[in-house]
Amino acid sequence: MKGEKHMNKELRKAVIAGNWKMNKTPDEAKELIEGIKPLVKGAGCGVVVCVPYVDLAAVLEAAKGTSIGVGAENCHWANSGAFTGEVSAPMLTSMGVQYVIIGHSERRTYFGETDETVNKRIRAALDAGLNVILCVGESLAQREQGVTGELVAMQTKIALGGVSKEELKRIIIAYEPIWAIGTGKTATAQQAGEVCGIIRSVVAGLYGKDAADAFTVQYGGSMNAKNAADLLAQPDVDGGLIGGASLKPADFAEIVKAASK
Ligand code: PEP
């Protein structure tokens, strides 16, 4: 599957989202968000931080009055019930949470997440009023087998099953090659741009060109203060999902600056 370049970048919102993963106690989270706040004030792009459940209250409180969006890193597909250890989408919105990451490769790899459960979680998140950052991406073996395009297209199509064109406006897709996450090994700008282009083509096939032109596609995988500008210069890369570098305020702010229009 070949990528194509979609040139209408000015039609869509650039969003930089941090994924704090399983890091920071509530006190540490407060310190981190307080460090980020002044550095991203007046940013020319959307800024989101996705944090552990136990940090949400502290980060929501600290982010009040700023334009920083706050997100969780997962949610369950049921609204309530016998699912020990899980957190539902309505629980998140009841706190004021606006975003949720769904289908991160760490969830798929370590916690048995499948394209089908990703789709169910997206349904629940949308029904509760959340914005979704959906993660898709291939392993190194899959890239070497030459199936990246087909795989990412399939992940995207299954995840978006039952999502309306109106609801699509509350979804961002992050292309995250698994081999680049937390490894320091970034995809080249060309590789990132190509797969983000494939994702946009899939969205165009499902929802039409206008919806695809307005749709935000992020790259994620060892994006940092040094390589961000190069990656974000690609026509189809509209932002980033940032792991490690989102824990360092100066580095995160540098990436936000690179994405600001
Ligand atoms: C991520 O967790 O989504 C991620 C991209 O991590 P890192 O930036 O550390 O590779």
Side-chain angles (χ1 to χ4, degrees):
M1 182 179 262
K2 282 296 285 173
E4 49 182 284
K5 285 195 171 78
H6 305 258
M7 305 307 283
N8 295 321
K9 203 166 185 168
E10 68 287 349
L11 297 178
R12 40 195 184 255
K13 197 172 179 206
V15 179
I16 297 296
N19 173 16
W20 291 6
K21 311 198 188 198
M22 195 175 72
N23 293 293
K24 306 296 173 187
T25 64
D27 283 350
E28 292 166 348
K30 182 167 166 24
E31 194 183 328
L32 178 54
I33 189 72
E34 291 296 351
I36 290 171
K37 255 162 60 172
L39 303 183
V40 302
K41 203 170 168 203
C45 67
V47 179
V48 178
V49 290
C50 298
V51 310
Y53 294 131
V54 295
D55 295 338
L56 284 168
V59 173
L60 281 163
E61 180 60 29
K64 261 189 199 149
T66 75
S67 56
I68 300 173
V70 177
E73 299 174 12
N74 193 22
C75 71
H76 198 260
W77 56 79
N79 286 349
S80 63
F83 299 101
T84 303
E86 291 292 313
V87 170
S88 75
M91 288 174 180
L92 296 175
T93 44
S94 75
M95 297 182 75
V97 172
Q98 303 120 358
Y99 287 84
V100 65
I101 297 174
I102 305 275
H104 192 282
S105 64
E106 287 152 17
R107 302 280 335 156
R108 295 180 192 252
T109 304
Y110 305 130
F111 303 103
E113 204 74 69
T114 64
D115 290 327
E116 285 70 28
T117 57
V118 165
N119 174 249
K120 286 166 75 172
R121 289 178 203 267
I122 289 178
R123 183 69 266 144
L126 292 172
D127 287 344
L130 289 163
N131 299 291
V132 172
I133 301 175
L134 158 67
C135 301
V136 298
E138 83 288 5
S139 67
L140 188 56
Q142 289 163 335
R143 174 160 282 270
E144 286 169 355
Q145 283 162 350
V147 299
T148 298
E150 282 97 328
L151 183 94
V152 165
M154 189 184 79
Q155 289 174 331
T156 301
K157 283 183 191 167
I158 296 174
L160 295 180
V163 172
S164 72
K165 193 169 176 175
E166 194 52 36
E167 289 170 332
L168 185 76
K169 294 178 186 157
R170 287 192 281 129
I171 299 187
I172 289 171
I173 294 184
Y175 165 53
E176 296 212 308
I178 299 170
W179 47 272
I181 297 177
T183 58
K185 201 173 167 204
T186 317
T188 64
Q190 201 227 329
Q191 286 171 326
E194 187 186 3
V195 183
C196 289
I198 290 171
I199 291 168
R200 197 178 311 286
S201 297
V202 171
V203 171
L206 293 171
Y207 298 96
K209 186 178 174 321
D210 56 331
D213 279 345
F215 189 74
T216 300
V217 184
Q218 298 174 323
Y219 166 78
S222 299
M223 194 190 268
N224 58 40
K226 283 208 179 81
N227 60 27
D230 197 25
L231 290 158
L232 292 164
Q234 287 289 313
D236 281 300
V237 179
D238 306 312
L241 182 56
I242 321 296
S246 73
L247 300 173
K248 300 176 197 144
D251 291 28
F252 187 62
E254 218 26 64
I255 300 170
V256 167
K257 203 167 132 198
S260 293
K261 294 180 183 169

